[in-house]
Amino acid sequence: MRLRFRDCVFDSDTRQVIRGGRTAAISPKAFALLELLIEQRPKAVSKAGIHARLWPDIHVSEANLGNLIVDLRTALGDDARSPRVIRTVPRFGYAFAASAVPERGPGAAEADAARRDYRLVWGTHEISLDPGDNLVGRDREAIVWIDDDSVSRRHARISITDEGAWIEDLGSKNGTYVGDKKIRALTRLPNREVVRIGPAVLTLRALKRTGSTRSTRKGRRSR
């Protein structure tokens, strides 16, 4: 099973988590904990249930689980004060809180991109989206560059996977809207869906590849 959540890819077959294109440093026990939470999502798993899975027939201090959670959050870039991946359920246990989408093995997104051409239509401009993650924001290195003070430098991320297009807000100050709704988790973008970020109104187009040349424009300055 391969799942993408935030900037991570969980792979139960290789027993790895890839974060930002690199293998995250996760111990076997921490990986087993993450696997359990993912299997049971969105349900919370009790501390007793976690102990039974990770340390069967062995008595260990409760601090072991707490330390394991700390290590796992660190490896995944999660924050205990504002968790987006591992949620603490007071006096009970923990739950996997991130939105996750299925993903095939390496090269799957590239193979899908060979069949479909994903673009954002912004006024009279078309912006090509690459397989994988595409940054949207005020950062000049963003694939979709929106030069407006209402837009955060790293505002949102559009991911092109073998399952289609997905968008996630990156903690922006003014939010990301799909249709008329402000998104709070990873959200699928169907063909012709409208995304609103600051003054920019962007429409996703998923076109079957016909061999024509793709647009190479990275973005444009908003007025």
Side-chain angles (χ1 to χ4, degrees):
M1 173 177 62
R2 283 175 65 94
L3 290 176
R4 172 180 289 275
F5 59 92
R6 296 181 58 75
D7 61 343
C8 299
V9 174
F10 167 88
D11 193 324
S12 61
D13 291 333
T14 63
R15 312 297 294 175
Q16 290 180 311
V17 173
I18 307 301
R19 181 185 173 206
R22 298 183 178 181
T23 302
I26 297 180
S27 69
K29 263 320 183 217
F31 187 91
L33 171 58
L34 177 61
E35 184 175 39
L36 172 60
L37 296 178
I38 286 176
E39 287 175 357
Q40 297 298 315
R41 71 186 194 285
K43 296 191 301 183
V45 183
S46 69
K47 292 180 180 179
I50 295 173
H51 275 273
R53 173 77 166 260
L54 268 58
W55 297 283
D57 304 320
I58 300 176
H59 175 74
V60 296
S61 168
E62 188 170 329
N64 284 35
L65 177 55
N67 292 335
L68 208 56
I69 289 290
V70 170
D71 292 345
L72 188 55
R73 281 177 170 153
T74 298
L76 300 178
D78 201 18
D79 185 350
R81 292 172 295 183
S82 182
R84 294 191 175 189
V85 181
I86 306 298
R87 176 172 62 90
T88 299
V89 183
R91 297 183 296 279
F92 182 78
Y94 300 93
F96 184 82
S99 297
V101 296
E103 182 168 288
R104 287 183 298 195
E110 288 79 357
D112 185 70
R115 297 188 295 271
R116 289 192 176 274
D117 189 3
Y118 288 87
R119 302 181 183 184
L120 285 176
V121 179
W122 184 4
T124 60
H125 297 259
E126 289 189 357
I127 304 164
S128 291
L129 299 174
D130 296 326
D133 294 337
N134 297 267
L135 178 65
V136 182
R138 195 156 44 87
D139 191 317
R140 285 181 175 269
E141 296 304 312
I143 293 296
V144 184
W145 175 44
I146 306 173
D147 187 19
D148 189 275
D149 288 342
S150 66
V151 177
S152 299
R153 292 190 180 279
R154 296 178 58 85
H155 196 105
R157 175 172 52 234
I158 297 177
S159 299
I160 303 301
T161 76
D162 59 300
E163 300 296 326
W166 305 78
I167 187 168
E168 180 181 15
D169 186 82
L170 299 179
S172 67
K173 59 183 178 182
N174 290 318
T176 299
Y177 293 79
V178 173
D180 294 325
K181 295 183 178 180
K182 185 176 183 179
I183 63 172
R184 304 187 183 281
L186 193 65
T187 301
R188 180 185 287 277
L189 283 180
N191 188 30
R192 299 185 182 278
E193 183 61 273
V194 174
V195 176
R196 293 177 173 83
I197 296 177
V201 179
L202 313 161
T203 303
L204 180 77
R205 294 297 305 277
L207 308 173
K208 287 187 177 181
R209 185 65 64 83
T210 61
S212 58
T213 304
R214 298 181 69 189
S215 167
T216 57
R217 185 182 298 276
K218 288 188 62 177
R220 67 183 178 100
R221 184 186 300 270
S222 62
R223 301 296 182 184

